[in-house]
Amino acid sequence: MCIYRRQEPQAPPETLSSDVLNPKFYAPTSLVVFSAVLPKKLSLRLEIHSTPMNKSTSLSILIGLVAGSAIATFQTAANAASFTAQDAKDAGCIGLTSCTVNGFTLNATDNGTPAQTRNITEKTVGGVLGLGVRNGTNSDPSSGEIDFNEILSVGFGKALTLKSLDLSFLYQPGVYNDAVFEVALVKATGGTQTGKLRVTGNTSAVWESAEGTVVNLSPSVKGKGGSYRLLNPFGDDKILGFSLTALQAKDAKGKTPAGGANSDYALSAVQVPEPTTVAGLGVVGLLAFARRRQVLKAD
């Protein structure tokens, strides 16, 4: 609710509906009352004491404030440029071969030629939830994770930079049934970059790529999530998405363990840069100011 009033007392204006913009003017010195519907997560309490205004001046200010609330609504919607495994679970992705969550498209396949569809699955270890792949009701040696012959791909819908990527259940030899330092392979879609995330210790891992850094979120020890966050894994490159699979690694004896003893892991979160509205807010402010100056000159 925004109120402009003169110093002298006068009868209050009629009550206005909160869902209709309907300014009321009382000239020549005016009390102008208006209301606007704002997003649920936003609140506005504004009272401006002003010198007397005419109808045109008040209307220009009203237009500026309404436009500002519209941009605030856009900014709230822009915050959905990410998703987590929980988001995918809530969206009903588990058990499907393909699904859409927060504007991202997930697909589960194998690495055969041609690729065969698989199913998206979920798993929780140490309080960390991750998305994996399995072949229907068939036995799954990785217990719901992404295995070396499975692919989980994520599409953005348009070319964007990958801001961060959370991968989980990456462990070291002796943890659960693992006999190797597990390795995740990440390939850019619509780009040329690839990278390998290789566990090296309890809370350490190496991101083998030209760009990006890695941060541990949960230790690679029993009872924990073995979770790591890749920050800007492909730098500023704009890609259409990425695909995940596991790489078979060798154990301390130089052998390649089979099944769940080798690399497997899960996807926990994805984030791309959010659209900015700073420039938009500046433009609206300038337009409102210019409009007010024009009206004052006309008066």
Side-chain angles (χ1 to χ4, degrees):
M1 177 73 71
C2 183
I3 301 177
Y4 302 85
R5 59 169 173 255
R6 64 178 184 178
Q7 298 297 326
E8 299 177 9
Q10 67 177 52
E14 64 186 85
T15 302
L16 302 180
S17 171
S18 62
D19 57 355
V20 178
L21 292 175
N22 186 19
K24 298 294 182 182
F25 301 93
Y26 301 85
T29 55
S30 303
L31 173 62
V32 183
V33 180
F34 65 89
S35 60
V37 177
L38 295 177
K40 291 181 180 180
K41 293 184 179 180
L42 300 177
S43 61
L44 176 65
R45 186 171 184 262
L46 180 62
E47 182 173 323
I48 302 176
H49 294 271
S50 174
T51 56
M53 294 175 292
N54 60 30
K55 180 175 180 178
S56 298
T57 302
S58 301
L59 184 59
S60 75
I61 295 174
L62 169 61
I63 292 171
L65 287 172
V66 172
S69 69
I71 286 198
T73 303
F74 172 77
Q75 179 63 37
T76 301
N79 290 337
S82 64
F83 80 90
T84 65
Q86 186 63 55
D87 291 333
K89 184 176 180 180
D90 293 343
C93 294
I94 308 308
L96 301 180
T97 60
S98 178
C99 77
T100 300
V101 53
N102 292 356
F104 297 84
T105 302
L106 281 65
N107 285 286
T109 63
D110 64 12
N111 58 3
T113 305
Q116 302 296 313
T117 58
R118 297 289 179 100
N119 303 98
I120 300 169
T121 188
E122 54 93 10
K123 180 178 180 179
T124 300
V125 180
V128 177
L129 178 64
L131 302 176
V133 176
R134 68 175 299 154
N135 185 9
T137 58
N138 295 340
S139 60
D140 185 3
S142 64
S143 301
E145 300 178 32
I146 304 169
D147 212 337
F148 77 94
N149 62 346
E150 298 170 332
I151 297 174
L152 181 62
S153 62
V154 177
F156 298 161
K158 61 181 178 179
L160 297 168
T161 56
L162 179 57
K163 185 175 182 180
S164 67
L165 173 63
D166 294 2
L167 302 179
S168 303
F169 314 148
L170 288 157
Y171 297 107
Q172 55 190 320
V175 180
Y176 296 112
N177 295 322
D178 294 318
V180 301
F181 289 96
E182 295 189 300
V183 185
L185 176 63
V186 186
K187 292 184 178 181
T189 305
T192 59
Q193 290 207 48
T194 63
K196 301 175 185 176
L197 179 60
R198 186 185 305 271
V199 174
T200 58
N202 288 352
T203 59
S204 61
V206 175
W207 173 238
E208 300 174 5
S209 181
E211 308 279 354
T213 56
V214 59
V215 177
N216 177 256
L217 302 178
S218 181
S220 296
V221 298
K222 189 173 183 179
K224 300 297 182 179
S227 186
Y228 296 84
R229 174 167 295 166
L230 296 171
L231 299 171
N232 299 309
F234 299 129
D236 295 327
D237 285 3
K238 289 189 175 182
I239 59 177
L240 296 173
F242 61 88
S243 63
L244 302 172
T245 191
L247 286 183
Q248 289 190 308
K250 295 185 181 296
D251 62 16
K253 297 180 180 180
K255 297 182 178 180
T256 303
N262 215 305
S263 300
D264 45 44
Y265 62 100
L267 169 65
S268 289
V270 175
Q271 186 175 19
V272 296
E274 300 169 357
T276 179
T277 59
V278 174
L281 284 169
V283 170
V284 169
L286 288 174
L287 288 175
F289 178 71
R291 171 62 180 160
R292 186 172 185 272
R293 286 176 60 87
Q294 291 174 357
V295 171
L296 288 175
K297 286 182 180 180
D299 294 337

